Amino acid sequence: MRYAQLVVGPAGSGKSTYCSTIVKHATDTNRIIDVVNLDPAAEHFDYEPLVDIRELIHLDDAMEDEELQFGPNGGLVFCLETLLENCDWLEEQLGDVDDDYILFDCPGQIELYTHLPVMRKLVDKLQQWNFRICVVFMIDSQFMVDGAKFISGTMAALSVMVNLELSHVNILTKMDLLSKSARKQLDNYLDPDPHILLADMRNGKSKWHEKYAKLTESIGEVIENFSLVRFYPLNIKEEESIDNILLTIDNIIQYGEDADVKVRDFDEPDPEDNDE
């Protein structure tokens, strides 16, 4: 069995920073975790990728082609479709190492995960190659400190869950950048209570809420009644926070459960010693 995290989320949500943080944490704890870069537009990251899609195709290749003439969004989709057409290349680059653990650092184009089929097809391929996968959906905590934005982020997370149909963890990133008051307010949202969200929106005197209060309330009830969404805070400056996130994901994908139990041999007691 092989293990993987599919790290997804909007642009600027901290996906590459998360990957480099997990790799460093794994190194410090004597684990080996590799990263695959699936972003053809990436310019810089702090890890050495095991596989880099830019060696196959770069976003500039799609945008500068005189026949294709793609923009940034269309070019990104084209690059990932090209990757799918060259799955043999990806499979060869990944190798066939049992029990390996890989983070797939994905692009920040949210529609790749919410409704386009390209990432779903990639997931199917990885599962055929014996990967047990957890989706890690990242969202910037700085944009989630009021009720309206939190509901928006929650709906985005739900859309990704429905489209990819995999085990799923939602992470609020950049917690270390929040003020104390914002962090205290965010605590109310980690395990969403629609009543708190609705009260927050009423207090904000939102014109949207005044007009669509029943719609917002219905969305809140869906979140509450089906317990579909929960967020985990991540502070990359705290080792305990990193360790808790990694442990949660390891449990989801059952990492390490197939390991052989280590048995220690003990000498049989001498019967004569018992007679004394």
Side-chain angles (χ1 to χ4, degrees), residues 4-8 38 104 106 119 123 126 133-136 164:
Q5 296 183 28
L6 196 68
V7 184
V8 306
L38 293 183
F104 289 86
C106 298
M119 294 305 293
V123 163
L126 292 176
I133 309 168
C134 178
V135 174
V136 181
L164 296 182

Side-chain angles (χ1 to χ4, degrees), residues 34-88:
D34 292 307
V35 185
V36 170
N37 173 46
L38 293 183
D39 187 356
E43 296 181 356
H44 173 73
F45 31 69
D46 295 327
Y47 57 79
E48 185 66 33
L50 174 68
V51 184
D52 193 341
I53 189 176
R54 297 175 302 175
E55 296 178 2
L56 176 68
I57 185 169
H58 197 285
L59 179 61
D60 292 341
D61 300 332
M63 294 179 61
E64 295 173 1
D65 190 285
E66 294 182 357
E67 293 183 5
L68 298 175
Q69 295 185 339
F70 282 118
N73 292 335
L76 203 62
V77 175
F78 176 79
C79 289
L80 288 175
E81 289 176 342
T82 301
L83 176 66
L84 285 175
E85 292 172 359
N86 294 270
C87 281
D88 292 343

Side-chain angles (χ1 to χ4, degrees), residues 10 25 42 58 101 107-111 123 132 144 172 174 183 204 211-212 225 232 268:
H25 179 79
H58 197 285
Y101 198 120
Q109 190 175 0
I110 192 66
E111 56 263 39
V123 163
R132 189 177 286 163
M144 300 284 280
L172 291 175
K174 306 182 183 181
R183 197 175 304 177
K211 187 174 182 179
Y212 298 104
N225 294 340
Y232 295 86
E268 291 290 336

Side-chain angles (χ1 to χ4, degrees), residues 200-220:
D200 182 67
M201 295 174 71
R202 289 192 196 99
N203 295 335
K205 297 181 180 179
S206 165
K207 291 183 178 180
W208 170 272
H209 178 68
E210 291 176 5
K211 187 174 182 179
Y212 298 104
K214 290 185 178 179
L215 173 61
T216 305
E217 188 173 344
S218 297
I219 293 173

Side-chain angles (χ1 to χ4, degrees), residues 3 9 33 41 77 84 90 94 97 108 140 159 162 181 204 206 218 221 234 243 253:
Y3 305 90
I33 296 181
V77 175
L84 285 175
L90 179 59
L94 290 174
V97 181
D140 191 336
S159 184
V162 170
S181 59
S206 165
S218 297
E221 288 176 356
L234 173 62
D243 195 53
I253 58 179

Side-chain angles (χ1 to χ4, degrees), residues 106-138:
C106 298
Q109 190 175 0
I110 192 66
E111 56 263 39
L112 290 170
Y113 322 111
T114 56
H115 60 276
L116 292 178
V118 60
M119 294 305 293
R120 174 73 228 187
K121 292 178 180 178
L122 177 61
V123 163
D124 291 340
K125 281 293 181 183
L126 292 176
Q127 289 177 327
Q128 290 175 17
W129 299 337
N130 209 29
F131 276 101
R132 189 177 286 163
I133 309 168
C134 178
V135 174
V136 181
F137 182 77
M138 323 286 290

